[in-house]
Amino acid sequence: MTILNLHVENLRNLAAVTIEPDARLNHLYGSNGAGKTSVLEAISVLSRGRSFRTPHASELTGPEERAFRVFAQIRDPGGTEHRIGLERSSSHWRGRIDGSDVRQLSQLSKLLPLVVLEPDSHLLVSGPPDTRRRFLDWGMFHVERGFLEEWRAFSRALKQRNSALRAQHEDVLDSVDDVLARHGMRLDAMRKAHADQLSGKIDAALDALKARIQRVELSYLPGWKGESYAEALVARRSRDLDRGNTGVGPHRADLGIVCDGVTARTVLSRGEQKALAAAMLVTQAELMKEHGQQPVLLLDDLASEFDREHFDAVLTHVLSLGGQAWVTGTEKTPLNTPHSVFHVEQGAVQELV
C-alpha cells in the first residue's frame, strides 16, 4: 500500500498538516518534541485505530477541540485508489472509506497494512507475552484467511466462560467449554503455523540486517499443557472457579524466542534485542507481501537505535520489500536512495526541495 496524501488535524501538536509523500521513502527530521513521531502516530491510528505509543485517544487529542482527524488517499498494489479517514476522541470514533461509514476499525486495517519499528520494539524480545501475542495476531490478521473470525469467536466464548465462573454457574460450563475449546484449538493451529513461517525466515533476515546473532528459533507456546485444550479446561475448572477467570488457553500463549538453545532475553544485550526485534518485524512484512499485502513501514528514530552500518542495513532491507517507508530522526541523515525530506518544527511540516 502507498500513501499518496496524508492530512492530520488536532493530533498532539499537529494542528493542521498536509503531506504529499514519496511513493518509496520519506525522511522526517526535527528536534525532540517537534512532531515527527506524531506524523507516524497519525498513520498508525488510521491503520490500527490506536497509536503505537499509547492506547488512549485522549493523549493524542490536541488543544483545538475534543477530537482529532486523520485522512489519507492511498493506492493498493493493484493500482486502485481509496480515500480513508478516521475521527477519534476519548468517547467515540468514526471511520470512512471512499465516502461511506465503516462499522469496524478492522476495515481500515485491511486497507492500510502497517509494520512499525520504534524505540520500544525490543519488548518483542524482553517484554511480557501479550506483546508477542499482539505481534503474532497482527501478522495473521493480514495473511491468514478466517483468523479474525476465529479470534472474535474465541474472545466471545472466553468472556462467557469468565462470566459463568464469576457467577459460579457450573451448569453452563460444559457447553461453554466445548465452544471455547473448538475455537481455541483452531486459533492455536493458526498461530503455530504462523510462528513456524516466521521462524523459517528469521535467520535470513538477521543476516540481511548484519545482526551478529545466530541460531534463532521461534516457537509457539499455546498457553496450556497437553495436547487437548478441552482436557486442560476440565482439569483447570476447580481452580478457575475459585479465581473467577480462565487460567489456560490462547489468551495465555507466548512466542518462545531461543538463541543458540537459550531464552533470548536472558543472553542478548539491549542492542542485540533491538536487532532481533527488527528482524522479526521485517520478516512479518515479508510474509504480508508474500500473501498479496504491501505494508507501509514506519521506522521511528532509526538513527538513534542503530549505528550507521546497521541503519543502512535495516533501511536497505526494508526498501527491498518494495513498499513505502517513513523514517524519522533528530537530524537530516544522508540516504543513498531517492527520497522526500520533510523538516518538522513545532507541529509544522515543510518539504525540502
Side-chain angles (χ1 to χ4, degrees):
M1 189 63 65
T2 302
I3 298 173
L4 304 175
N5 180 282
L6 179 70
H7 182 73
V8 186
E9 296 178 2
N10 198 44
L11 190 149
R12 294 198 190 272
N13 67 340
L14 305 177
V17 167
T18 298
I19 300 174
E20 294 186 0
D22 184 78
R24 294 283 285 118
L25 178 59
N26 299 278
H27 177 33
L28 294 83
Y29 78 98
S31 59
N32 290 327
K36 54 192 183 296
T37 297
S38 299
V39 174
L40 303 194
E41 286 186 283
I43 300 172
S44 176
V45 168
L46 190 54
S47 170
R48 301 178 174 183
R50 55 175 284 174
S51 163
F52 54 86
R53 297 177 68 189
T54 175
H56 305 296
S58 59
E59 296 180 15
L60 298 174
T61 307
E64 301 299 323
E65 50 183 304
R66 294 183 178 180
F68 62 83
R69 285 167 289 276
V70 185
F71 306 97
Q73 184 177 359
I74 59 177
R75 183 174 60 227
D76 67 26
T80 302
E81 296 187 5
H82 300 278
R83 293 175 293 110
I84 60 176
L86 180 69
E87 177 181 270
R88 185 144 203 188
S89 71
S90 59
S91 59
H92 85 281
W93 68 270
R94 182 188 183 192
R96 293 176 70 82
I97 297 175
D98 294 330
S100 299
D101 288 340
V102 300
R103 297 178 59 188
Q104 298 171 337
L105 287 171
S106 59
Q107 294 173 258
L108 291 171
S109 300
K110 277 293 186 185
L111 269 185
L112 186 57
L114 199 69
V115 172
V116 182
L117 176 60
E118 44 95 9
D120 283 338
S121 290
H122 66 91
L123 294 176
L124 269 178
V125 180
S126 62
D130 66 295
T131 303
R132 289 178 288 278
R133 285 196 299 272
R134 286 196 300 269
F135 165 74
L136 278 176
D137 290 350
W138 179 249
M140 286 193 300
F141 170 76
H142 288 290
V143 305
E144 296 289 346
R145 180 173 297 181
F147 164 75
L148 183 59
E149 290 73 16
E150 286 297 338
W151 184 89
R152 285 174 171 164
F154 172 80
S155 298
R156 285 194 300 269
L158 179 64
K159 184 177 180 179
Q160 292 169 356
R161 188 176 195 268
N162 286 339
S163 179
L165 290 170
R166 288 191 294 271
Q168 298 291 298
H169 290 164
E170 296 185 51
D171 55 316
V172 303
L173 286 177
D174 284 341
S175 60
V176 172
D177 282 4
D178 286 343
V179 177
L180 186 65
R182 182 169 65 253
H183 292 295
M185 290 296 289
R186 292 173 182 170
L187 185 57
D188 175 75
M190 288 182 177
R191 282 179 171 171
K192 184 180 185 304
H194 192 64
D196 289 345
Q197 287 181 308
L198 290 166
S199 188
K201 293 177 175 292
I202 193 68
D203 281 339
L206 287 166
D207 288 343
L209 302 188
K210 299 184 178 180
R212 298 170 180 85
I213 307 171
Q214 297 180 338
R215 297 180 60 190
V216 172
E217 296 181 5
L218 309 178
S219 60
Y220 179 63
L221 309 176
W224 73 86
K225 295 180 180 179
E227 295 294 325
S228 169
Y229 185 30
E231 292 177 1
L233 287 170
V234 171
R236 177 83 185 196
R237 181 176 294 183
S238 177
R239 189 182 304 178
D240 287 350
L241 281 164
D242 289 340
R243 298 188 178 186
N245 63 69
T246 304
V248 294
H251 60 297
R252 303 290 188 186
D254 198 358
L255 179 65
I257 308 174
V258 172
C259 179
D260 203 17
V262 183
T263 302
R265 66 175 179 271
T266 66
V267 296
L268 297 184
S269 67
R270 177 62 63 86
E272 289 171 327
Q273 290 178 17
K274 291 179 179 180
L276 177 52
M280 291 169 64
L281 288 162
V282 297
T283 299
Q284 183 180 74
E286 183 179 351
L287 284 175
M288 288 183 186
K289 181 182 178 181
E290 290 178 0
H291 285 78
Q293 303 289 329
Q294 186 68 75
V296 174
L297 289 108
L298 308 183
L299 312 175
D300 187 32
D301 211 10
L302 189 65
S304 71
E305 298 300 308
F306 297 94
D307 60 27
R308 185 66 207 218
E309 178 188 12
H310 293 94
F311 174 99
D312 288 339
V314 170
L315 190 56
T316 297
H317 191 52
V318 162
L319 293 175
S320 74
L321 299 176
Q324 185 183 54
W326 298 62
V327 184
T328 68
T330 55
E331 298 180 356
K332 183 181 176 183
T333 305
L335 303 177
N336 299 322
T337 190
H339 61 284
S340 291
V341 180
F342 301 89
H343 182 233
V344 186
E345 184 176 6
Q346 296 182 350
V349 181
Q350 179 181 7
E351 183 175 7
L352 304 184
V353 294

